[in-house]
Amino acid sequence: MPRPRTAWRCAQCGHVEPRWAGRCSACGEYGSLVEEAVEKSTASSRVPATVRPVHLSEVETAAEGRLPTGVGEFDRVLGGGLVKGSVVLLGGEPGIGKSTLLLQVVDALALSGVRVLYVCGEESPAQVRMRADRLGCTGEIDLLPATAVESVERATLDARTDVLVIDSIQTMTDEGAPGSAGSVGQVRAATARLTRVAKDHGVTTLLVGHVTKEGAIAGPRVLEHMVDTVLYFEGDAEHAFRIVRAVKNRFGPVSEVGVFEMGEHGLEQVANPSAALLEHRPASVAGSAVMSAMEGSRPVLVEIQALVSPSYLQMPRRLATGVDPQRLLQVLAVLERRAKVAFGQYDVYVSVAGGMRIAEPAVDLPLALALASARKDIALPASLASFGEIGLAGEVRPVPHAEARAAEAGRLGLTRVLTGPSRRHDGGTTVIEVATLAEAVASVCT
Ligand code: TYD
Ligand code: MG
């Protein structure tokens, strides 16, 4: 009998090597290759059935039945609720709140008469019950302590389940697939099988996926293309704020976010993130600047803080939390050269309040203003918000959604907005457009 053909797949990036190696040649990870069977392709021997094209205009539009979950911030990320028969992957680090969120979501669904099956492969039903009590869940949720995907499939069909939760996909095993639970082969096979059940029987499926510290869904990014929607939980366990972000959505916009706060009784929706994030802002302290940032399609005000103190080190310290350290270095250099604010003999610390992470270039101007304010020990006007990218020549560049950002500042009572030149003006608040960083610093920090 011929030996079954095998290949080696990287658990980190999904790259396939024909033979074993100590290190993945694609992502450089050590010891991540796992063996899996190669399915023989039978495509060449099969005569393809005749398939006729259809006119686009004649294709029936399936009115996608959306199921609002009742958790508004979750619905918002999904683009208006769960689509029937869709498969949603919720990724995030252990302890971030994935199980909590999904239990809250399915409880709300169960209360509205939806048949829910919660597969707890990771915890015992007693543990889930304890969490449910803490959250005050009262819906009829069926728990299934199982790890075999076959049993899950059978139970789902028997119970005529509408919404299925798998917590987590890494605990699922498929008899027919190679490898142990959590390996790439197993996770992929289990996902493929659950996806087929979802599509064939219209079972809306929510998969929990643990993310390793490197940021990939453990065992695999390879799941991302198999599912309809991929959501990631962001934030860290030490801060109360949690953000759920859509990174892929076949049925809605991506980069939309839902904002939550972890409390005593589970995740609470933060309907007004700007107000929540500015709540503990110190009054007239040097080194604090308000940025009007964009989270998906929504403007959110965040506080950028800077601390500048004399350094006793040969290489002064530069520490950034919540913003890219490279960005900090660049903004410091531009401030020094173009706006004549020097930091040579000073340690510099920067952070975004509330544990938020800001990746967009519009952070440059508020970051620079916080730094200049800290260095000069002059508080910025309390009513000021800003946003704008800074070029190496010291010019302030326009960024998208200027109007929405200015309007959000106005809504929160900040009456002055500093930004780069734009083509349009906002009605409500005074928008000060500056061409250069030097001008910006001179106008609010002298
Ligand atoms: P959990 O949902 O179990 O995280 P995950 O499934 O992503 O691993 O919950 C994570 C943390 O949240 C846990 O450390 C305890 C905390 N927590 C609260 O603070 N309040 C609550 O009401 C609950 C249920 C959990
Ligand atoms: Mg969990």
Side-chain angles (χ1 to χ4, degrees):
M1 213 176 116
R3 247 186 105 235
R5 274 191 55 214
T6 59
W8 296 83
R9 186 182 290 274
C10 173
Q12 280 301 327
C13 70
H15 174 73
V16 179
E17 303 265 4
R19 58 191 65 83
W20 186 84
R23 185 181 190 204
C24 171
S25 68
C27 70
E29 184 72 18
Y30 286 95
S32 63
L33 297 185
V34 267
E35 192 171 19
E36 66 175 34
V38 178
E39 281 171 33
K40 265 242 223 69
S41 165
T42 51
S44 55
S45 57
R46 225 187 284 142
V47 182
T50 321
V51 183
R52 265 183 293 125
V54 198
H55 285 303
L56 184 58
S57 57
E58 286 165 13
V59 176
E60 279 189 36
T61 50
E64 41 176 64
R66 279 204 193 256
L67 189 61
T69 63
V71 180
E73 289 292 301
F74 191 61
D75 287 344
R76 162 191 206 103
V77 195
L78 292 167
L82 288 163
V83 172
K84 188 171 158 56
S86 67
V87 181
V88 178
L89 174 67
L90 176 63
E93 286 172 19
I96 196 82
K98 300 179 294 297
S99 305
T100 304
L101 177 63
L102 291 189
L103 198 55
Q104 285 178 274
V105 165
V106 294
D107 180 53
L109 286 171
L111 284 173
S112 64
V114 174
R115 286 183 298 262
V116 174
L117 183 65
Y118 190 108
V119 179
C120 42
E122 219 154 71
E123 295 164 309
S124 67
Q127 283 172 302
V128 178
R129 171 71 201 268
M130 265 165 59
R131 182 182 291 118
D133 286 345
R134 185 169 178 188
L135 300 175
C137 295
T138 50
E140 275 303 321
I141 300 168
D142 284 337
L143 293 181
L144 182 71
T147 54
V149 74
E150 294 83 2
S151 333
V152 173
E153 178 173 351
R154 207 171 317 121
T156 305
L157 299 182
D158 286 351
R160 309 220 325 281
T161 300
D162 298 313
V163 174
L164 173 69
V165 176
I166 307 288
D167 191 359
S168 66
I169 190 65
Q170 273 96 358
T171 60
M172 289 295 122
T173 54
D174 186 335
E175 258 183 5
S180 54
S183 71
V184 191
Q186 285 290 336
V187 171
R188 273 162 56 96
T191 306
R193 184 147 179 177
L194 292 166
T195 305
R196 211 167 45 241
V197 175
K199 302 294 160 192
D200 291 352
H201 302 277
V203 182
T204 308
T205 305
L206 298 161
L207 308 175
V208 169
H210 288 299
V211 168
T212 59
K213 57 182 181 315
E214 287 83 16
I217 285 200
R221 275 249 175 75
V222 286
L223 285 190
E224 288 187 0
H225 72 269
M226 300 174 76
V227 300
D228 298 310
T229 302
V230 180
L231 309 179
Y232 278 102
F233 235 119
E234 286 178 9
D236 53 68
E238 288 90 65
H239 283 96
F241 285 108
R242 307 289 153 90
I243 289 191
V244 180
R245 194 185 297 275
V247 294
K248 164 183 172 176
N249 197 349
R250 285 190 185 141
F251 305 112
V254 285
S255 87
E256 201 54 89
V257 298
V259 185
F260 296 91
E261 193 171 359
M262 184 61 95
E264 266 311 294
H265 303 287
L267 290 157
E268 272 159 43
Q269 306 183 57
V270 180
N272 192 347
S274 298
L277 285 165
L278 295 188
E279 198 183 340
H280 304 292
R281 191 175 155 234
S284 32
V285 170
S288 160
V290 175
M291 171 190 185
S292 194
M294 292 302 291
E295 283 293 359
S297 63
R298 179 161 52 166
V300 174
L301 300 188
V302 295
E303 186 196 352
I304 313 282
Q305 295 189 325
L307 179 70
V308 174
S309 74
S311 181
Y312 303 101
L313 303 167
Q314 238 170 14
M315 283 263 287
R317 216 185 279 277
R318 269 89 181 91
L319 204 74
T321 313
V323 293
D324 177 12
Q326 303 298 330
R327 262 217 122 77
L328 169 62
L329 295 181
Q330 186 171 316
V331 167
L332 283 172
V334 178
L335 266 173
E336 185 141 357
R337 290 283 289 127
R338 309 290 180 192
K340 309 290 174 237
V341 188
F343 293 88
Q345 299 307 310
Y346 294 87
D347 289 334
V348 174
Y349 305 88
V350 162
S351 87
V352 183
M356 299 280 290
R357 238 166 258 148
I358 307 289
E360 54 167 347
V363 74
D364 289 356
L365 185 57
L367 179 59
L369 291 177
L371 287 164
S373 159
R375 171 68 180 82
K376 296 176 166 210
D377 207 11
I378 301 172
L380 296 169
S383 59
L384 180 82
S386 62
F387 53 90
E389 185 178 355
I390 296 173
L392 293 183
E395 79 280 18
V396 180
R397 295 161 171 255
V399 290
H401 309 293
E403 278 173 64
R405 295 179 202 252
E408 179 70 0
R411 197 175 71 76
L412 270 283
L414 302 182
T415 49
R416 290 170 75 187
V417 168
L418 200 61
T419 183
S422 68
R423 262 159 270 142
R424 290 202 217 129
H425 293 263
D426 181 73
T429 48
T430 314
V431 179
I432 315 162
E433 295 180 355
V434 286
T436 65
L437 177 58
E439 217 181 293
V441 171
S443 75
V444 291
C445 193
T446 39

